Amino acid sequence: MGILEVKDVNKRFGGLQALGNVNLSVADNTVHAIIGPNGAGKSTLLNCLVGKLIPDTGSVMFAGQSVLGRKPFEINQMGISRVFQTPEIFGDLTVMENMMIPCLAKRDGSFRMHAIESVLDEKALREKAESMLEEVKMLDKRNMHAASMSRGDKRRLEMAMCLVQEPRLLLLDEPTAGMARADTNNTIDLLKEIKARGNITMCIIEHDMHVVFSLADRITVLAQGTPLVEDTPENIKGHPKVREAYLGESA
Amino acid sequence: MFGLEKKDATLLLIVAVLTMCAPFILNPFPSDSGLAQFNAGYPDLMQRFVIFGIFAIGFNILFGLTGYLSFGHAAFLGVGSYSAVWMFKLLSMNVIPAILLSVIVAGAFALIIGFVSLRRSGIYFSILTLAFAQMSFALAYSVLTPITNGETGLQLSLNDPRILGTSISADGGIPVTQLFGIEMRSTYAMDVGPWLFQFNAGYYLCAILLLLAFYLSIRIFRSPFGLMLRAVKSNQQRMNYTGLNARPYTLAAFVISGMYAGLAGGLLASMDPLAGAERMQWTASGEVVLMTILGGAGTLIGPVLGAGFIKYFENIFSKINDNVLHQWFAFMPDGLEDFMVTIVHPFVGKGWSLTLGLMFMAVVIFLPGGLVEGGQKIGKLFRRKKAAEDTSPAAKTPAE
Ligand SMILES: Nc1ncnc2c1ncn2[C@@H]1O[C@H](COP(=O)(O)OP(=O)(O)O)[C@@H](O)[C@H]1O
Ligand SMILES: [Mg+2]
């Protein structure tokens, strides 16, 4: 039994079958990559995991509990954090303020009225936020306006915001898209280190095969909304069906 | 100081000095000079400045921080006024219970209206609040006449019970509002040469409450709660996926701003104990929106500036009539004088709202950050000039 169990999930958008009978089991403390061509339904699958979409049929269990019917903020509190395909950050706030919000959310839950205390007095949280920024090599940008940063920086900030929550399951939707090569390598190193520390499971959607093969323990290939194969990276590399359906066209 | 950052403490101090010295600052012209009509330092108007300042500060906590634009905040102001007048009728002429009740009742109203309206965002939220406010206005105007006294408005009378006070004052009239014996209307007039400065008890009560309201708003802005409100404005999606429920945050902001409006309404009634339905009308709700945007939404001081600006225009520009204009242009030849008066006429007197509208448009187009942004730009200009002057000699002399 994996920490994440997706069973027979279907999702239609009008006439389009975006997900057809998706079954996915992600083992605890592993990195599971989902690859597939554009429009395969990868992001749609993640949307079904975090409560952005509700599958038409099927079940999604996380750590033995169903996520269906829960609101996104409740699902996050179960321990699922997500990095989006297009960065979702607080553009009007500074980098440091962006980091403070998940820290406060982690400590105080979905709502707490700290109206009189100063946010500057939250020393412990600030230190936590700063050390996370240090890890993604963004500490020097802490007072920057988040909206004014490059796409790659926004992505790294979003990843830091998710990581600082210490989620049980981290969902990454193309985390290195739009990043420079050096930043991509930094990201791989960071994710490796996070993985080595343990107690975290990751689901990563990625087009960059270098990233996938450096990180993944298992890979699922999705095509037209249905899992084609699921196997170890070594086997996937040599799989004829995969070469034909996906690797063949991108490599 | 008071748990504030240096910058914020300075701002609070400036506002404190300005409000405390307002009777001087607003009366710069000798009473017999031609410019005396631009003086705004009389009690009635000064009270309005600070009361609407409080209203706008509260509105800014909702609109400036969360971006939720309410078009119905006058309803809370009106509810506050009615509550206060009822307190004067039933309990006593002391303003403290009246103000407390107006804040509480307005808060309760805001809780109900906010709970429903915040199910939607954007324009639908605005429309819902507008609908609620118009509903309250209509109710106050007709249906709830026993409570609001309909068109006439709620007033005090000699028959009111006032169980902790007296129904009739010693001289046989209706007693006046007071704070532990200090009458709100009592004014100390100070003659300094040709100047007349007026110090009014009611004004100082309002000013102190404004300072408290302003202080609280700074604390809210700088708090984790304030940060969450700004997060709501910036990206609700990210907020949800970070495990935060935006709804209670916005509702709390809505109720707080409703209570500020209630405080303003209670103070209006405490200065002049009557309350009418027109206080709840949509134009009144629109006015506080204008004040906040004009001054600078989301800034600390902006709403206060905006409120002062609009109230000054409403009360001072509206009094400039053709006679005054003729005096101004008297130095010109007759034909030109008449021409100038004709040109300026539509912008003053009853046309003050035209001038205000044009200024509002100019501010929104050229200074989206409101008057505060204008101030900052001017400040920067000066600093750059000063810096240029400072650096040239400093470059030669080594620092000590
Ligand atoms: N909210 C939506 N409404 C309608 N169609 C959608 C929606 N989200 C995704 N789709 C469609 O579903 C398919 C899968 O999309 P997506 O999951 O984003 O693919 P991927 O992330 O694998 O590139 C695409 O054809 C896309 O157009
Ligand atoms: Mg996608």
Side-chain angles (χ1 to χ4, degrees):
Chain A
M1 209 31 201
I3 188 162
L4 178 71
E5 292 284 340
V6 178
K7 287 238 164 63
D8 300 322
V9 163
N10 283 278
K11 182 74 197 174
R12 294 188 79 89
F13 295 116
L16 178 86
Q17 181 91 31
L19 294 176
N21 281 326
V22 176
N23 286 285
L24 184 73
S25 173
V26 179
D28 208 357
N29 295 324
T30 58
V31 177
H32 196 115
I34 299 169
I35 61 173
N38 277 329
K42 306 179 298 292
S43 298
T44 305
L45 178 58
L46 290 202
N47 286 344
C48 291
L49 305 184
V50 296
K52 191 173 182 183
L53 289 175
I54 298 164
D56 300 335
T57 60
S59 71
V60 179
M61 303 289 282
F62 173 71
Q65 287 183 301
S66 176
V67 306
L68 301 184
R70 290 178 204 254
K71 297 208 175 77
F73 78 87
E74 292 167 328
I75 294 174
N76 174 278
Q77 287 181 343
M78 291 168 78
I80 303 182
S81 287
R82 174 173 180 189
V83 176
F84 284 80
Q85 189 168 354
T86 39
E88 292 282 353
I89 52 171
F90 301 107
D92 300 337
L93 310 184
T94 66
V95 168
M96 196 57 198
E97 285 170 337
N98 267 275
M99 290 300 294
M100 284 305 282
I101 288 170
C103 291
L104 286 161
K106 173 88 182 167
R107 191 191 66 186
D108 299 340
S110 65
F111 171 72
R112 185 151 160 206
M113 185 112 175
H114 282 301
I116 299 300
E117 302 88 331
S118 168
V119 77
L120 295 173
D121 290 340
E122 306 282 2
K123 286 219 174 55
L125 295 188
R126 260 172 45 217
E127 277 161 21
K128 194 170 152 195
E130 280 175 357
S131 75
M132 191 66 235
L133 280 178
E134 180 82 68
E135 283 195 62
V136 295
K137 303 199 166 50
M138 286 187 74
L139 195 55
D140 53 328
K141 298 196 167 83
R142 49 144 64 97
N143 291 322
M144 247 174 112
H145 198 66
S148 67
M149 298 193 304
S150 72
R151 191 107 188 258
D153 280 349
K154 285 181 184 162
R155 237 173 239 299
R156 282 195 294 166
L157 172 60
E158 193 182 12
M159 208 181 306
M161 288 165 71
C162 288
L163 285 172
V164 82
Q165 287 198 305
E166 293 159 3
R168 291 283 295 114
L169 175 64
L170 177 64
L171 306 173
L172 300 142
D173 198 343
E174 306 194 14
T176 66
M179 268 190 199
R181 188 79 242 171
D183 287 340
T184 302
N185 289 335
N186 284 337
T187 305
I188 295 175
D189 293 343
L190 173 70
L191 290 175
K192 270 186 180 157
E193 200 187 313
I194 299 285
K195 181 187 171 189
R197 274 183 227 160
N199 204 24
I200 187 167
T201 309
M202 296 186 219
C203 240
I204 179 166
I205 294 175
E206 188 52 77
H207 282 301
D208 187 334
M209 287 304 127
H210 174 59
V211 179
V212 172
F213 290 122
S214 330
L215 288 168
D217 298 307
R218 285 192 80 78
I219 299 176
T220 295
V221 183
L222 207 62
Q224 286 162 3
T226 319
L228 213 55
V229 272
E230 193 206 302
D231 218 325
T232 58
E234 293 73 38
N235 293 343
I236 291 285
K237 264 183 205 166
H239 204 289
K241 241 165 125 190
V242 175
R243 288 188 161 272
E244 177 196 329
Y246 182 60
L247 292 179
E249 70 169 47
S250 82
Chain B
M1 193 176 66
F2 312 126
L4 296 184
E5 289 271 285
K6 191 158 169 270
K7 202 179 66 182
D8 297 334
T10 317
L11 193 62
L12 181 65
L13 210 67
I14 292 173
V15 175
V17 170
L18 288 181
T19 47
M20 290 301 134
C21 302
F24 296 111
I25 297 167
L26 293 175
N27 258 4
F29 308 112
S31 357
D32 52 0
S33 78
L35 291 170
Q37 59 180 308
F38 289 107
N39 282 341
Y42 46 97
D44 209 35
L45 186 53
M46 289 195 297
Q47 286 164 5
R48 257 152 219 279
F49 281 150
V50 287
I51 290 172
F52 281 90
I54 293 173
F55 189 19
I57 290 173
F59 185 77
N60 190 41
I61 290 175
L62 178 70
F63 176 56
L65 289 178
T66 69
Y68 277 78
L69 178 56
S70 161
F71 263 113
H73 258 50
F76 309 129
L77 185 107
V79 165
S81 285
Y82 282 121
S83 313
V85 175
W86 271 110
M87 220 53 176
F88 294 136
K89 284 170 96 65
L90 299 178
L91 196 70
S92 82
M93 293 306 287
N94 193 323
V95 295
I96 299 243
I99 291 172
L100 282 180
L101 186 75
S102 52
V103 172
I104 292 166
V105 175
F109 254 71
L111 187 66
I112 297 165
I113 295 183
F115 184 80
V116 178
S117 306
L118 286 165
R119 310 205 140 250
R120 291 281 168 269
S121 60
I123 186 87
Y124 299 102
F125 167 80
S126 304
I127 297 293
L128 278 171
T129 52
L130 178 64
F132 268 114
Q134 279 305 88
M135 221 158 74
S136 316
F137 166 71
L139 286 177
Y141 202 72
S142 52
V143 184
L144 295 178
T145 313
I147 302 175
T148 61
N149 203 21
E151 290 179 52
T152 331
L154 192 61
Q155 291 165 352
L156 302 184
S157 84
L158 293 171
N159 301 326
D160 296 330
R162 276 186 276 284
I163 45 178
L164 294 184
T166 49
S167 295
I168 305 172
S169 70
D171 57 13
I174 297 170
V176 295
T177 53
Q178 41 84 9
L179 175 70
F180 303 119
I182 308 169
E183 291 184 2
M184 288 297 107
R185 63 173 186 192
S186 66
T187 303
Y188 168 71
M190 186 166 106
D191 279 303
V192 183
W195 282 277
L196 175 70
F197 302 117
Q198 301 181 57
F199 302 89
N200 170 259
Y203 167 74
Y204 276 100
L205 174 70
C206 296
I208 288 166
L209 287 173
L210 172 96
L211 289 178
L212 284 176
F214 188 59
Y215 172 71
L216 185 64
S217 119
I218 299 180
R219 293 303 293 252
I220 289 175
F221 266 61
R222 303 296 180 226
S223 69
F225 174 67
L227 180 64
M228 293 304 178
L229 296 183
R230 288 192 291 141
V232 168
K233 184 178 184 178
S234 185
N235 190 343
Q236 274 206 40
Q237 160 126 321
R238 178 29 87 199
M239 221 177 150
N240 288 331
Y241 296 108
T242 308
L244 292 160
N245 190 1
R247 186 82 55 79
Y249 283 103
T250 46
L251 185 58
F254 194 90
V255 171
I256 292 173
S257 74
M259 289 167 93
Y260 268 79
L263 172 63
L267 281 174
L268 276 180
S270 301
M271 299 302 114
D272 187 8
L274 44 87
E278 75 289 340
R279 257 178 215 175
M280 301 176 136
Q281 220 169 356
W282 67 273
T283 45
S285 295
E287 196 181 53
V288 73
V289 178
L290 293 192
M291 287 172 178
T292 309
I293 294 178
L294 186 70
T299 63
L300 285 167
I301 189 77
V304 185
L305 290 181
F309 212 76
I310 289 187
K311 284 293 153 193
Y312 187 83
F313 261 74
E314 184 184 297
N315 291 282
I316 303 294
F317 255 63
S318 61
K319 291 213 187 87
I320 304 173
N321 54 26
D322 279 2
N323 280 340
V324 179
L325 288 181
H326 276 291
Q327 275 177 31
W328 285 4
F329 298 114
F331 66 92
M332 293 178 171
D334 269 357
L336 198 57
E337 178 185 328
D338 288 342
F339 176 71
M340 286 305 292
V341 171
T342 321
I343 296 241
V344 180
H345 173 85
F347 295 97
V348 295
K350 289 205 176 82
W352 70 274
S353 42
L354 179 62
T355 317
L356 186 66
L358 289 174
M359 292 193 58
F360 183 73
M361 280 189 244
V363 165
V364 169
I365 294 168
F366 299 109
L367 296 170
L371 295 174
V372 168
E373 191 188 331
Q376 281 166 350
K377 280 194 173 158
I378 294 171
K380 243 185 224 155
L381 218 66
F382 270 102
R383 233 170 290 142
R384 208 175 301 149
K385 258 192 201 153
K386 235 180 122 190
E389 284 165 14
D390 284 352
T391 44
S392 35
K396 285 168 207 141
T397 41
E400 30 221 78

